Amino acid sequence: MTAIRKFNWLPQPSAWKQAQAWRARRAAMAADQVNASDTFNSMFAKANTDRIAGMAKLAGEAALKRINQAAKAKFDEIANTKVDGIDDAKVDKTV
């Protein structure tokens, strides 16, 4: 039966090079985290902007609808008033 020996016959980098590699990996992870954070921040900012724009559009449409209804009501009120001396049969009330 043979014993399992440790595989350590390849040269190891120095402690300084290992520390440099470790710092480089940490810096890369920190940069990735900052990039991900920036991406999430921009996505949430865009979602908030889209929400505000959508609410403004809906409010504008509702205001326009109210204005059109008020204008139609005013037109109908004026169209239904009788003026002395005008025959209703000769007045065109269609728009």
Side-chain angles (χ1 to χ4, degrees):
M1 178 168 230
T2 61
I4 298 175
R5 294 186 180 172
K6 191 174 178 184
F7 180 74
N8 62 358
W9 47 271
L10 288 177
Q12 294 288 326
S14 68
W16 174 255
K17 289 193 181 217
Q18 288 178 357
Q20 281 182 324
W22 181 78
R23 280 192 294 272
R25 285 193 306 269
R26 294 279 305 217
M29 287 189 302
D32 288 344
Q33 187 176 12
V34 168
N35 289 339
S37 177
D38 290 343
T39 301
F40 288 135
N41 285 340
S42 66
M43 289 170 54
F44 284 125
K46 184 182 180 321
N48 191 35
T49 302
D50 291 347
R51 181 183 64 90
I52 291 170
M55 289 175 61
K57 181 180 176 186
L58 291 175
E61 288 173 356
L64 182 63
K65 185 177 178 181
R66 284 193 307 271
I67 291 170
N68 286 339
Q69 288 174 345
K72 183 179 181 317
K74 187 69 171 176
F75 177 79
D76 289 344
E77 177 186 334
I78 292 172
N80 290 331
T81 57
K82 290 194 175 194
V83 178
D84 291 336
I86 296 180
D87 186 10
D88 282 340
K90 295 179 183 176
V91 177
D92 184 18
K93 293 183 180 179
T94 61
V95 177

